[in-house]
Amino acid sequence: MMDPDCAELLPLVCEVLANPDRALPDDTCLEKLLDWFAALTNKAPGLSLLELNPCLVSFISSVCTSKSAEPSVLAFALKLAGLLASNERAFPLLKEEGIMKNAFEYQGWMESSVWEDATVRSGWIHGLQNVLKHWQAMQFVLENGLLKAILRLQSDRSLFVASATNQLLACILTFPTSPAGHLSVKEARTTERKNERNACCGHDSPERNEGAAQIVEHVEESLTSRVPFRAHQSLKLIALSLTGCQPHVREVLWQKTVEAKEMLMGNGQSSLVQPFLEVLRAAARTHLFTEGNFGVVTLMDDVLCSLKPMLAVPFATGIIHLDNCPQTLKNKATAIILRPLDHVAALVLSQKTCSGVVRESDFEHSVWEEQLSQKSSCISLLCLSLSGTSELLGLESLREDICVQPVVLSVTTLLKICEGGPFFTSSSSSVSRAVRNLIGCSRVQKCVLDTMAALSHCPGSDVYAEDILSVLLLVLQNPDTDQNVFKKALQTALNWLCSGSQSRSVNSFLNKDVFPMLKKRLCDVRWEVRDSSLEFLTHLTLQLQEDLSYCETLSSSGIWDFLMALLNDPESYVRASAICALGQMAYVTCPVKGPPSGSSVQEELFVHFVEILAQDTEGFARRAVIKVFSYWLRHPPLQPLEKMEKHLGTVFQLGSDDLDWEVKVHTLELAQIVIDEILETSSQTSCPYSIIPSARCKGRDLTESLRKLHHLMIFNTLFSGLLDCDRPVAQQACRILLDLKEVIIDHTDIVDKTVVFDLQGCKWGQDILKKHFEKHSITTAIQVCVDIEELLQSLDLEGRQRALEKSSDHMENSPRSLMQDILAAAHTVEENIVDCY
Amino acid sequence: MKLYCLSGHPTLPCNVLKFKSTTIMLDCGLDTTSVLHFLPLPLVHSPRLSKLPGWISKDGAVSLEKELKECAGRVFVDSLPEFCPPERELLDLSTIDVILISNYHCMMALPYITEHTGFTGTVYATEPTLQIGRLLMEELVNFMERVPKAQSATCWKNKEIQRLLPGPVKEAVEVWTWRRCYSMQEVNSALSKVQLVGYSQKVELFGAVQVTPLSSGYSLGSSNWIIQSHYEKVSYVSGSSLLTTHPQPMDQSSLKNSDVLILTGLTQIPTANPDGMLGEFCSNLAMTIRAGGNVLVPCYSSGVIYDLLECLYQFIDSANLGSTPFYFISPVANSSLEFSQIFAEWLCQNKQSKVYLPEPPFPHAELIQTNKLKHYPGIHGDFSNEFRQPCVVFTGHPSLRFGDVVHFMELWGKSSLNTVIFTEPDFSYLDALAPYQPLAMKCVYCPIDTRLNFHQVAKLLKEVQPLHVVCPEQYTQPPPTQSHRSDLMLELQPPPMPYRRCSVLGLPFRRRYERIQLLPELAKSLVPSEIKPGISVATVSAVLHTKDNKHVLQPPPKPAPVPPSKKRKRVVEEPPELVTPKPLLSGAVPLEPFLALLHKHGITEVKVEDTPDGHILHLQAEDTLIQLEEDGTHIVCDSNEPLRATLRDLVLRFLQKL
């Protein structure tokens, strides 16, 4: 329902919009208004919107009959009329009022000069599309001869209008025969309506059939018209409607397409090839594909071999995803995808095709070779082939069809060529051309690395790990490697290192090659490279933390000192990544050069990190610190971290006073972990095997826990978070406080619920505690004793949560504000005019 | 026009161009790779080097124990190192008129050319080239002279003996031409012949050609040269760079429209990108220091070191190397660092503008001020008091055969914590390290060569479009170690003309024109007449006067009045007799009007025959032929002179006379 404020403003807005002398601030406000109406029509039952707001009808009527309306307002009125008429009960009323006639009857518009404006034509089409939600609307379209006008607009000079028309035509062709089709769920539930609809619609309705026939006839004409744009539009329409239309219409549309195939495909140069392929793709998702007599499979097969490589590879990539695709077609598609890779391998290794799944005679060699010999097409084609191969490898059903070994050979060779490494014996001109085209090409490198990453998931690929990793090492060691390629190479290496089962060889590789390389890269001039190296180390350690030999290798690698040095890196991203890496490493390993004090590495690091939290000028590093602490608390080490417990209060203090809202949110997450931990500990003392801790806590233990939470400054953190001006912080704090309140209220047996807060320097104290005291008329003091349960109850946390759930701009985005803006803008323009004269 | 190639080293060229009666030497590079065959010269006594065993052939037949020492399976000559100067036998060096120097690395052989050869010409170079070249020469002489070695090994050079020697010494070529280093006196004498030039300054050579240095972007004061006459242009491109480093950027546009472009001095390490190498240098340096080791950078005292220091200036803080001392040790370290700051006009725009701030153009001044960079003339004296480890030392010579670097190699070679980082591309780092084996120290090869690579040069040539390119033969095929890299060679149309040491190339273009000046009074007397729209012609009678390769047309002297005396002068002294020249004819004889004219003069029986060049008219009654062609008319009539004269006059009616 529309709220009263809006209902009050609406007539004024309609008046402003209908007045051609009043200018609008911009078109987007009309779009927003339409969105609002669309939401209302979905919600409002039946007639209510029209009945309660008669101004709408008069607005549409006045605008549609006005000679001087703004095109944008006219388009808005048409779309609005469509929206309102989409309601089955409102439709007859609008028809009676003459609104449908005024708005949508074509003849009237044709004679008007405003029709020249594409906005108006577009509004007309969109209005009709909005209407087409029920059979009455369909009848209106068919009976009033609107279809002819729509078909004419399919080749409108405005691409927007033409495209919208295609959507509308597709909507007509796919209009459901089943009663539940396009109606809202609520309405569809009404049995009465169901019966009504069943009576008037159905696929044997003669108007409907005639309408479909009219469209099909138009499509056929367009396809054979030799006017490329018309054919293009009709092909698009077929692609749009093929899956949703009735089987007999589908078959006819397919028939027409196949008949025009020669003309559409031309010699492969035609601009219609792309939309034709769209139709093929759509057909492959219908019964035409599985039923042999329509020849979809054969056609796809033919097309696949005759297409230009740049089109063939993406088309083949589409085919491999098809359900129920015959194996031969799939094989051919696979061969097409792998062909450029085969070509490179064959060039360099003087071998014939590697995939070997398809007869060579099926291809037009010269075309492929020509494309692969030119730099730009060679690079694009290889990238397409590589991304297609990655997809192939991602499909479990297809993995068995591909022989992994040649793919590995091709991608490793390709990467070596890009690196400019020595790798072959042949010195033919085509090889030298390939080398010239590909050396240092980071686009191909990135695609190769993606494919390599996909290869790591293939069963049985373990045996190639050594080959792949050695090539990856080339890339990682090359000082000229682009930083993005470097990052990707590290990610790929991570995939292979973590997927392998031979930990011994992995460790020796890490020790001998990877760690020395990483040490150098951690000193790289480019911060991106240092950062990626740190991220790699973090992920690697996370993945292999269970592997004892890895932890030993890491401990003895000497990398620890490099990471410690990076804590002072000038780039804050790098510092943050170094913190994460050290946090992860400290968790699994003891460095050889341990700190002298005798306390654990993790504890020493904790103290260092707290300093960073207090001193680092950039948010990234501080966020990382809190995240590492959260990780450590979630995964506690064998020995308790005494120092950490001692300093946790400082962490919360620093975290909640931070200027960066993300640091605050992470601090609250850390608080949540600590709260869970403390409450769980108190529950375990009563029942060690309980999985629902809070319910069974003993009052005394809970009292102790509350003290501990207070001691760790967690209440301070939560209250200060609750009042934070950043919504995510306040939301998080509110959620935690609500949970805490529930726990406290549930336990009536808590011995002591009082907490002593120090009001000095306490920013939130003014707002929260003072309010609480006023209620209880306690005098102001520096230290106050508060009953925490009472305090939590006095805060109206639930209300606060509701308020916070609304986005901060909900006021600005409300329809009321929108309408006020429109009114204000109209007013301002008027004032300006006065000012000018 | 001929080109004599006296050096086979592509980046240390020495070519002589004979062009329009001038003999111009282009660069004077000294190939110092020969020193790699010698033992290092230690500054302090090295027990290790002195204990190396002498070499005796396997069968014991040849023993050169005193001259040759064995170290880690290789043989080294135990003598003062020698260099391979440019070829001296190919042409008489005293005939050289001028020497054009393109950068300070390419002038190191100057004393070998200008001294004791009868050379009397001039050397042209820019000021930074001269000053820094002088520093490098001084440094070289200093390195050699401070470790005198009495012994001079010559027996091993005997062809018969050299044939029996092992390894690289056996393959060394031209060993008889190798020479010891020159003296300071010779350096001073050679450099006194240098005349300074500025970029784009035009220098006339004997009125015949004009030479102009252009900025080449490679080093301070480095230049390419244009050698041109009025109608011919030869460009000489030596070490050039398109990268944004400290020198003024390269002037490419002035190289356009050359008849011949001599291309030398491309990057020696085409596979190493300078940016990547600079990054590699920094990360290896930081890695070593972090692990507690020392870094040794064998380098020249000028050039890339300025860029290295600038890069480190930015890197030191980011890599927390603020407390690590950086030492620059060279007899000319101080001068090099100071000189670099005063050549403001030769620097890139960015650095030039700093001079007005006022700020030193190079940040190494700040490094010195803040005591992060310290420089010393040698390892003795102050340095030994201040020396603190771990540290970074920049010192020469990059061949590791002489200079302070030898000491550090001996000092740090035993620890795997230390690293030697090679940044100069002139020497193979493996060969440089050979006499120090076995070596525990880590070695990193980061050659930084900012000179043009093949990709850049292909682009440059496409832009400037020379008719012919001449280059060292090394550039016409991929490097021998990377034969698959077809991208690392010059592929041009027409193919470049390759040269090697001792080649003599006839440059493939002919001089067709010479400019002649017309004196104003003679010009005034000309009466041009238009023969075609826009083209006028006049005949001229004058005396051609040639002096200093300049040609002037002067009005002919007026005939002297007949002398009153009866005494006749000698015939040869008489001015040439002036004969009025016959008029020059132009135009064409149109067939139809000509036939009409013949008819009018009673010649009616004319048979016309078309030929590829014109027409043949057969005057049947007169039995005469008139051959009308585009550029000539022939009248063939037997001994009928009156008829011929008539016909000639008729033809002349249609032609213009000048």
Side-chain angles (χ1 to χ4, degrees), chain A residues 115-118 121 152-162 229:
Chain A
W115 191 248
E116 284 303 301
D117 197 305
R121 298 200 297 279
R152 201 168 302 152
L153 287 179
Q154 196 204 20
S155 43
D156 194 89
R157 63 180 181 276
S158 156
L159 281 178
F160 292 104
V161 175
F229 182 62

Side-chain angles (χ1 to χ4, degrees), chain A residues 703 706-707 710 751-756 785-789:
Chain A
T703 308
L706 285 181
R707 291 245 164 81
H710 178 58
V751 182
D752 183 7
K753 292 180 185 171
T754 56
V755 175
V756 179
C785 193
V786 185
D787 181 320
I788 194 78
E789 184 180 346

Side-chain angles (χ1 to χ4, degrees), chain A residues 420-422 424 432 436 439 479-480 519-525 562 565 568 570, chain B residues 271 273 276-277 279-280 282-284 286-287 290 315 318 320 484-487 491:
Chain A
F424 47 75
S432 75
R436 271 166 188 270
I439 281 181
D480 291 332
K519 278 194 219 166
K520 200 202 288 181
R521 293 289 166 233
L522 288 174
C523 303
D524 203 279
V525 190
F562 285 80
N568 296 319
Chain B
T271 49
N273 165 24
M277 285 299 133
E280 202 64 0
C282 288
S283 38
N284 278 297
M287 197 164 71
R290 272 182 206 165
F315 184 67
S318 72
N320 297 314
H484 66 286
R485 293 291 297 263
S486 54
D487 55 327
E491 269 191 325

Side-chain angles (χ1 to χ4, degrees), chain A residues 324-389:
Chain A
N324 308 320
C325 181
Q327 194 59 38
T328 48
L329 185 60
K330 237 174 221 186
N331 282 350
K332 194 165 267 184
T334 307
I336 293 268
I337 293 170
L338 295 175
R339 188 167 167 76
L341 291 185
D342 284 351
H343 179 83
V344 172
L347 259 188
V348 170
L349 307 166
S350 314
Q351 285 182 6
K352 280 290 154 199
T353 53
C354 307
S355 55
V357 269
V358 134
R359 289 194 314 278
E360 278 299 290
S361 55
D362 287 347
F363 297 107
E364 273 187 54
H365 282 277
S366 57
V367 183
W368 285 78
E369 263 164 33
E370 190 204 320
Q371 295 267 300
L372 284 163
S373 65
Q374 286 160 5
K375 184 163 184 166
S376 62
S377 58
C378 169
I379 290 171
S380 308
L381 198 51
L382 279 171
C383 290
L384 281 174
S385 167
L386 284 162
S387 59
T389 310

Side-chain angles (χ1 to χ4, degrees), chain A residues 136-435:
Chain A
Q136 292 179 65
M138 181 58 114
Q139 264 178 329
F140 174 78
V141 170
L142 296 174
E143 283 167 5
N144 288 290
L146 297 187
L147 197 53
K148 207 175 258 177
I150 297 170
L151 287 171
R152 201 168 302 152
L153 287 179
Q154 196 204 20
S155 43
D156 194 89
R157 63 180 181 276
S158 156
L159 281 178
F160 292 104
V161 175
S163 161
T165 311
N166 252 352
Q167 295 286 348
L168 176 63
L169 284 169
C171 200
I172 294 171
L173 281 177
T174 57
F175 196 81
T177 49
S178 68
H182 276 290
L183 291 153
S184 69
V185 180
K186 211 172 173 185
E187 280 178 316
R189 280 193 194 126
T190 326
T191 336
E192 191 188 339
R193 304 256 184 288
K194 260 188 194 175
N195 297 337
E196 250 174 51
R197 204 164 299 109
N198 277 343
C200 63
C201 72
H203 49 234
D204 40 17
S205 142
E207 296 102 323
R208 175 89 196 272
N209 284 345
E210 199 186 317
Q214 214 174 328
I215 297 176
V216 169
E217 194 182 326
H218 173 83
V219 164
E220 187 183 5
E221 263 174 42
S222 308
L223 291 181
T224 51
S225 69
R226 294 188 186 274
V227 180
F229 182 62
R230 283 187 64 192
H232 189 275
Q233 283 294 92
S234 286
L235 282 172
K236 278 189 136 179
L237 172 61
I238 298 171
L240 279 172
S241 46
L242 214 54
T243 43
C245 65
Q246 293 175 49
H248 68 276
V249 180
R250 181 182 300 146
E251 283 162 24
V252 178
L253 283 176
W254 174 246
Q255 192 71 37
K256 301 298 169 200
T257 315
V258 174
E259 282 168 11
K261 182 208 150 193
E262 292 301 324
M263 190 185 295
L264 298 174
M265 285 293 286
N267 53 358
Q269 299 287 351
S270 160
S271 61
L272 298 175
V273 174
Q274 196 67 49
F276 181 73
L277 296 180
E278 291 289 333
V279 174
L280 282 183
R281 279 191 204 107
R285 292 195 299 272
T286 64
H287 77 282
L288 304 170
F289 188 58
T290 40
E291 286 173 31
N293 48 346
F294 293 104
V296 180
V297 174
T298 325
L299 189 55
M300 283 180 124
D301 198 300
D302 289 350
V303 166
L304 203 49
C305 288
S306 59
L307 275 179
K308 295 197 120 200
M310 294 291 273
L311 290 172
V313 176
F315 186 56
T317 312
I319 289 177
I320 58 164
H321 288 285
L322 292 176
D323 294 330
N324 308 320
C325 181
Q327 194 59 38
T328 48
L329 185 60
K330 237 174 221 186
N331 282 350
K332 194 165 267 184
T334 307
I336 293 268
I337 293 170
L338 295 175
R339 188 167 167 76
L341 291 185
D342 284 351
H343 179 83
V344 172
L347 259 188
V348 170
L349 307 166
S350 314
Q351 285 182 6
K352 280 290 154 199
T353 53
C354 307
S355 55
V357 269
V358 134
R359 289 194 314 278
E360 278 299 290
S361 55
D362 287 347
F363 297 107
E364 273 187 54
H365 282 277
S366 57
V367 183
W368 285 78
E369 263 164 33
E370 190 204 320
Q371 295 267 300
L372 284 163
S373 65
Q374 286 160 5
K375 184 163 184 166
S376 62
S377 58
C378 169
I379 290 171
S380 308
L381 198 51
L382 279 171
C383 290
L384 281 174
S385 167
L386 284 162
S387 59
T389 310
S390 302
E391 284 186 40
L392 266 175
L393 295 166
L395 292 171
E396 259 179 54
S397 57
L398 282 173
R399 270 190 211 147
E400 289 162 13
D401 300 341
I402 314 166
C403 188
V404 174
Q405 194 243 344
V407 179
V408 170
L409 192 68
S410 295
V411 290
T412 48
T413 310
L414 201 49
L415 201 54
K416 279 185 200 163
I417 296 180
C418 292
E419 285 297 304
F423 39 79
F424 47 75
T425 49
S426 159
S427 59
S428 71
S429 63
S430 41
V431 172
S432 75
R433 222 178 296 126
V435 170

